[in-house]
PDB file of all heavy atoms in Angstrom:
ATOM      1  N   SER A 483      -6.647  -5.138  -1.564  1.00 83.00           N
ATOM      2  CA  SER A 483      -5.309  -4.776  -1.075  1.00 83.00           C
ATOM      3  C   SER A 483      -5.245  -3.390  -0.607  1.00 83.00           C
ATOM      4  O   SER A 483      -4.163  -2.779  -0.734  1.00 83.00           O
ATOM      5  CB  SER A 483      -4.296  -5.060  -2.181  1.00 83.00           C
ATOM      6  OG  SER A 483      -4.379  -6.410  -2.610  1.00 83.00           O
ATOM      7  N   GLY A 484      -6.297  -2.828  -0.047  1.00 85.00           N
ATOM      8  CA  GLY A 484      -6.240  -1.504   0.563  1.00 85.00           C
ATOM      9  C   GLY A 484      -6.436  -0.361  -0.381  1.00 85.00           C
ATOM     10  O   GLY A 484      -6.457   0.772  -0.017  1.00 85.00           O
ATOM     11  N   SER A 485      -6.767  -0.660  -1.680  1.00 90.00           N
ATOM     12  CA  SER A 485      -6.893   0.465  -2.656  1.00 90.00           C
ATOM     13  C   SER A 485      -8.335   0.971  -2.546  1.00 90.00           C
ATOM     14  O   SER A 485      -8.582   2.093  -3.107  1.00 90.00           O
ATOM     15  CB  SER A 485      -6.688  -0.073  -4.121  1.00 90.00           C
ATOM     16  OG  SER A 485      -7.566  -1.103  -4.442  1.00 90.00           O
ATOM     17  N   GLN A 486      -9.268   0.312  -1.938  1.00 93.00           N
ATOM     18  CA  GLN A 486     -10.599   0.772  -1.815  1.00 93.00           C
ATOM     19  C   GLN A 486     -11.097   0.436  -0.407  1.00 93.00           C
ATOM     20  O   GLN A 486     -10.505  -0.287   0.306  1.00 93.00           O
ATOM     21  CB  GLN A 486     -11.541   0.124  -2.799  1.00 93.00           C
ATOM     22  CG  GLN A 486     -11.302   0.513  -4.258  1.00 93.00           C
ATOM     23  CD  GLN A 486     -12.313  -0.109  -5.264  1.00 93.00           C
ATOM     24  OE1 GLN A 486     -12.443  -1.293  -5.253  1.00 93.00           O
ATOM     25  NE2 GLN A 486     -13.007   0.687  -6.000  1.00 93.00           N
ATOM     26  N   ARG A 487     -12.293   1.103  -0.094  1.00 95.00           N
ATOM     27  CA  ARG A 487     -12.995   0.805   1.129  1.00 95.00           C
ATOM     28  C   ARG A 487     -14.413   0.690   0.888  1.00 95.00           C
ATOM     29  O   ARG A 487     -14.959   1.227  -0.038  1.00 95.00           O
ATOM     30  CB  ARG A 487     -12.700   1.903   2.185  1.00 95.00           C
ATOM     31  CG  ARG A 487     -11.450   1.886   2.936  1.00 95.00           C
ATOM     32  CD  ARG A 487     -11.297   2.825   4.023  1.00 95.00           C
ATOM     33  NE  ARG A 487     -10.004   2.624   4.706  1.00 95.00           N
ATOM     34  CZ  ARG A 487      -9.805   1.754   5.663  1.00 95.00           C
ATOM     35  NH1 ARG A 487     -10.803   0.949   6.099  1.00 95.00           N
ATOM     36  NH2 ARG A 487      -8.570   1.604   6.143  1.00 95.00           N
ATOM     37  N   TYR A 488     -15.114  -0.031   1.795  1.00 96.00           N
ATOM     38  CA  TYR A 488     -16.576  -0.036   1.791  1.00 96.00           C
ATOM     39  C   TYR A 488     -17.094   1.223   2.372  1.00 96.00           C
ATOM     40  O   TYR A 488     -16.322   1.917   3.147  1.00 96.00           O
ATOM     41  CB  TYR A 488     -17.139  -1.198   2.553  1.00 96.00           C
ATOM     42  CG  TYR A 488     -16.938  -2.595   1.825  1.00 96.00           C
ATOM     43  CD1 TYR A 488     -16.291  -3.650   2.450  1.00 96.00           C
ATOM     44  CD2 TYR A 488     -17.529  -2.799   0.568  1.00 96.00           C
ATOM     45  CE1 TYR A 488     -16.082  -4.890   1.767  1.00 96.00           C
ATOM     46  CE2 TYR A 488     -17.373  -3.967  -0.123  1.00 96.00           C
ATOM     47  CZ  TYR A 488     -16.674  -4.974   0.511  1.00 96.00           C
ATOM     48  OH  TYR A 488     -16.515  -6.182  -0.138  1.00 96.00           O
ATOM     49  N   PHE A 489     -18.241   1.633   2.012  1.00 97.00           N
ATOM     50  CA  PHE A 489     -18.944   2.798   2.558  1.00 97.00           C
ATOM     51  C   PHE A 489     -20.411   2.601   2.816  1.00 97.00           C
ATOM     52  O   PHE A 489     -21.033   2.039   1.877  1.00 97.00           O
ATOM     53  CB  PHE A 489     -18.757   3.985   1.563  1.00 97.00           C
ATOM     54  CG  PHE A 489     -19.109   5.334   2.151  1.00 97.00           C
ATOM     55  CD1 PHE A 489     -18.088   6.035   2.780  1.00 97.00           C
ATOM     56  CD2 PHE A 489     -20.303   5.907   1.983  1.00 97.00           C
ATOM     57  CE1 PHE A 489     -18.393   7.307   3.280  1.00 97.00           C
ATOM     58  CE2 PHE A 489     -20.650   7.141   2.496  1.00 97.00           C
ATOM     59  CZ  PHE A 489     -19.645   7.895   3.199  1.00 97.00           C
ATOM     60  N   TYR A 490     -20.924   2.815   3.976  1.00 98.00           N
ATOM     61  CA  TYR A 490     -22.286   2.388   4.404  1.00 98.00           C
ATOM     62  C   TYR A 490     -23.144   3.596   4.450  1.00 98.00           C
ATOM     63  O   TYR A 490     -22.888   4.549   5.177  1.00 98.00           O
ATOM     64  CB  TYR A 490     -22.260   1.647   5.684  1.00 98.00           C
ATOM     65  CG  TYR A 490     -21.455   0.304   5.571  1.00 98.00           C
ATOM     66  CD1 TYR A 490     -20.143   0.241   5.988  1.00 98.00           C
ATOM     67  CD2 TYR A 490     -22.026  -0.840   4.984  1.00 98.00           C
ATOM     68  CE1 TYR A 490     -19.426  -0.941   5.867  1.00 98.00           C
ATOM     69  CE2 TYR A 490     -21.324  -2.007   4.837  1.00 98.00           C
ATOM     70  CZ  TYR A 490     -20.008  -2.048   5.332  1.00 98.00           C
ATOM     71  OH  TYR A 490     -19.306  -3.294   5.207  1.00 98.00           O
ATOM     72  N   VAL A 491     -24.296   3.529   3.788  1.00 97.00           N
ATOM     73  CA  VAL A 491     -25.260   4.656   3.750  1.00 97.00           C
ATOM     74  C   VAL A 491     -26.660   4.116   4.177  1.00 97.00           C
ATOM     75  O   VAL A 491     -27.098   3.078   3.696  1.00 97.00           O
ATOM     76  CB  VAL A 491     -25.392   5.217   2.339  1.00 97.00           C
ATOM     77  CG1 VAL A 491     -26.434   6.245   2.214  1.00 97.00           C
ATOM     78  CG2 VAL A 491     -23.975   5.717   1.810  1.00 97.00           C
ATOM     79  N   PHE A 492     -27.289   4.816   5.035  1.00 97.00           N
ATOM     80  CA  PHE A 492     -28.558   4.468   5.604  1.00 97.00           C
ATOM     81  C   PHE A 492     -29.640   4.424   4.437  1.00 97.00           C
ATOM     82  O   PHE A 492     -29.744   5.330   3.634  1.00 97.00           O
ATOM     83  CB  PHE A 492     -29.070   5.418   6.660  1.00 97.00           C
ATOM     84  CG  PHE A 492     -30.448   5.137   7.131  1.00 97.00           C
ATOM     85  CD1 PHE A 492     -30.769   4.122   7.923  1.00 97.00           C
ATOM     86  CD2 PHE A 492     -31.527   6.051   6.825  1.00 97.00           C
ATOM     87  CE1 PHE A 492     -32.067   3.852   8.476  1.00 97.00           C
ATOM     88  CE2 PHE A 492     -32.801   5.857   7.283  1.00 97.00           C
ATOM     89  CZ  PHE A 492     -33.035   4.743   8.085  1.00 97.00           C
ATOM     90  N   ASN A 493     -30.459   3.314   4.402  1.00 97.00           N
ATOM     91  CA  ASN A 493     -31.512   3.271   3.408  1.00 97.00           C
ATOM     92  C   ASN A 493     -32.804   3.028   4.199  1.00 97.00           C
ATOM     93  O   ASN A 493     -33.179   1.992   4.687  1.00 97.00           O
ATOM     94  CB  ASN A 493     -31.257   2.033   2.477  1.00 97.00           C
ATOM     95  CG  ASN A 493     -32.317   1.965   1.335  1.00 97.00           C
ATOM     96  OD1 ASN A 493     -33.469   2.171   1.546  1.00 97.00           O
ATOM     97  ND2 ASN A 493     -31.820   1.591   0.173  1.00 97.00           N
ATOM     98  N   GLY A 494     -33.552   4.182   4.287  1.00 96.00           N
ATOM     99  CA  GLY A 494     -34.821   4.206   5.092  1.00 96.00           C
ATOM    100  C   GLY A 494     -35.917   3.231   4.457  1.00 96.00           C
ATOM    101  O   GLY A 494     -36.554   2.512   5.220  1.00 96.00           O
ATOM    102  N   ALA A 495     -36.106   3.301   3.222  1.00 96.00           N
ATOM    103  CA  ALA A 495     -37.087   2.552   2.529  1.00 96.00           C
ATOM    104  C   ALA A 495     -36.898   1.032   2.779  1.00 96.00           C
ATOM    105  O   ALA A 495     -37.867   0.307   3.125  1.00 96.00           O
ATOM    106  CB  ALA A 495     -37.172   2.817   1.029  1.00 96.00           C
ATOM    107  N   ASP A 496     -35.659   0.600   2.661  1.00 97.00           N
ATOM    108  CA  ASP A 496     -35.333  -0.816   2.890  1.00 97.00           C
ATOM    109  C   ASP A 496     -35.297  -1.195   4.358  1.00 97.00           C
ATOM    110  O   ASP A 496     -35.550  -2.375   4.707  1.00 97.00           O
ATOM    111  CB  ASP A 496     -34.095  -1.248   2.170  1.00 97.00           C
ATOM    112  CG  ASP A 496     -34.213  -1.311   0.683  1.00 97.00           C
ATOM    113  OD1 ASP A 496     -35.387  -1.186   0.233  1.00 97.00           O
ATOM    114  OD2 ASP A 496     -33.177  -1.395  -0.053  1.00 97.00           O
ATOM    115  N   THR A 497     -35.018  -0.238   5.206  1.00 97.00           N
ATOM    116  CA  THR A 497     -35.192  -0.524   6.591  1.00 97.00           C
ATOM    117  C   THR A 497     -36.597  -0.786   6.989  1.00 97.00           C
ATOM    118  O   THR A 497     -36.983  -1.690   7.716  1.00 97.00           O
ATOM    119  CB  THR A 497     -34.671   0.694   7.464  1.00 97.00           C
ATOM    120  OG1 THR A 497     -33.224   0.839   7.267  1.00 97.00           O
ATOM    121  CG2 THR A 497     -34.876   0.493   8.905  1.00 97.00           C
ATOM    122  N   ILE A 498     -37.493   0.041   6.481  1.00 96.00           N
ATOM    123  CA  ILE A 498     -38.960  -0.149   6.768  1.00 96.00           C
ATOM    124  C   ILE A 498     -39.493  -1.461   6.186  1.00 96.00           C
ATOM    125  O   ILE A 498     -40.244  -2.190   6.792  1.00 96.00           O
ATOM    126  CB  ILE A 498     -39.763   1.087   6.243  1.00 96.00           C
ATOM    127  CG1 ILE A 498     -39.420   2.381   7.073  1.00 96.00           C
ATOM    128  CG2 ILE A 498     -41.268   0.782   6.278  1.00 96.00           C
ATOM    129  CD1 ILE A 498     -39.936   3.600   6.507  1.00 96.00           C
ATOM    130  N   SER A 499     -39.055  -1.797   4.896  1.00 96.00           N
ATOM    131  CA  SER A 499     -39.569  -2.941   4.300  1.00 96.00           C
ATOM    132  C   SER A 499     -39.072  -4.224   4.898  1.00 96.00           C
ATOM    133  O   SER A 499     -39.681  -5.284   4.731  1.00 96.00           O
ATOM    134  CB  SER A 499     -39.190  -2.995   2.742  1.00 96.00           C
ATOM    135  OG  SER A 499     -37.792  -3.089   2.604  1.00 96.00           O
ATOM    136  N   ASN A 500     -37.923  -4.179   5.604  1.00 95.00           N
ATOM    137  CA  ASN A 500     -37.382  -5.347   6.217  1.00 95.00           C
ATOM    138  C   ASN A 500     -37.851  -5.593   7.712  1.00 95.00           C
ATOM    139  O   ASN A 500     -37.313  -6.453   8.444  1.00 95.00           O
ATOM    140  CB  ASN A 500     -35.888  -5.312   6.198  1.00 95.00           C
ATOM    141  CG  ASN A 500     -35.302  -5.852   4.864  1.00 95.00           C
ATOM    142  OD1 ASN A 500     -35.279  -7.019   4.597  1.00 95.00           O
ATOM    143  ND2 ASN A 500     -34.955  -4.876   3.960  1.00 95.00           N
ATOM    144  N   ASN A 501     -38.740  -4.749   8.132  1.00 94.00           N
ATOM    145  CA  ASN A 501     -39.328  -4.879   9.439  1.00 94.00           C
ATOM    146  C   ASN A 501     -40.888  -4.815   9.373  1.00 94.00           C
ATOM    147  O   ASN A 501     -41.393  -4.327   8.427  1.00 94.00           O
ATOM    148  CB  ASN A 501     -38.838  -3.726  10.377  1.00 94.00           C
ATOM    149  CG  ASN A 501     -37.350  -3.771  10.714  1.00 94.00           C
ATOM    150  OD1 ASN A 501     -36.938  -4.381  11.592  1.00 94.00           O
ATOM    151  ND2 ASN A 501     -36.584  -3.105   9.826  1.00 94.00           N
ATOM    152  N   ALA A 502     -41.538  -5.320  10.395  1.00 93.00           N
ATOM    153  CA  ALA A 502     -43.005  -5.171  10.440  1.00 93.00           C
ATOM    154  C   ALA A 502     -43.268  -3.672  10.603  1.00 93.00           C
ATOM    155  O   ALA A 502     -42.559  -2.892  11.257  1.00 93.00           O
ATOM    156  CB  ALA A 502     -43.537  -5.845  11.716  1.00 93.00           C
TER     157      ALA A 502
END
Side-chain angles (χ1 to χ4, degrees):
S483 301
S485 62
Q486 290 184 306
R487 280 189 177 273
Y488 288 122
F489 192 87
Y490 296 99
V491 178
F492 175 73
N493 187 318
D496 286 353
T497 294
I498 292 172
S499 67
N500 277 283
N501 293 272

